[in-house]
Amino acid sequence: MRQTKDFIDRMIEFESGMLNDTEIIEMFSDLIKSGASWSLQGHYGRAANAFIEGGWLDKEGNILKHLKDYDNI
């Protein structure tokens, strides 16, 4: 039950613009890993797919790129 509440809290923070870029990537990683990104409203699935196509996440939800690697660009 606690995990579901944490998930919902993070989604509310995301919708409210309160997450930083790293937290957004981590949230979508978790959504993909749980399968929830494909059953929530369309925006979540499209955003998850964009992270996959952009090379940030793989299809299993593993993070492939980290923002800290791009700090000096």
Side-chain angles (χ1 to χ4, degrees):
M1 183 66 161
R2 177 71 188 154
Q3 183 179 6
T4 301
K5 184 182 181 323
D6 290 341
F7 238 35
I8 293 169
D9 288 345
R10 282 201 306 169
M11 289 173 59
I12 291 168
E13 290 171 348
F14 169 72
E15 295 281 343
S16 300
M18 297 172 59
L19 298 182
N20 65 39
D21 293 340
T22 298
E23 292 168 326
I24 292 170
I25 292 169
E26 291 169 348
M27 183 190 84
F28 276 95
S29 171
D30 290 341
L31 288 173
I32 292 169
K33 287 177 181 178
S34 72
S37 59
W38 315 120
S39 60
L40 293 168
Q41 68 177 349
H43 164 75
Y44 287 94
R46 289 189 300 276
N49 210 32
F51 280 115
I52 293 168
E53 289 179 4
W56 291 93
L57 302 171
D58 66 17
K59 291 181 180 182
E60 288 77 39
N62 299 305
I63 298 173
L64 302 175
K65 295 181 187 177
H66 297 273
L67 290 174
K68 64 180 172 58
D69 297 334
Y70 297 89
D71 283 346
N72 295 324
I73 295 178

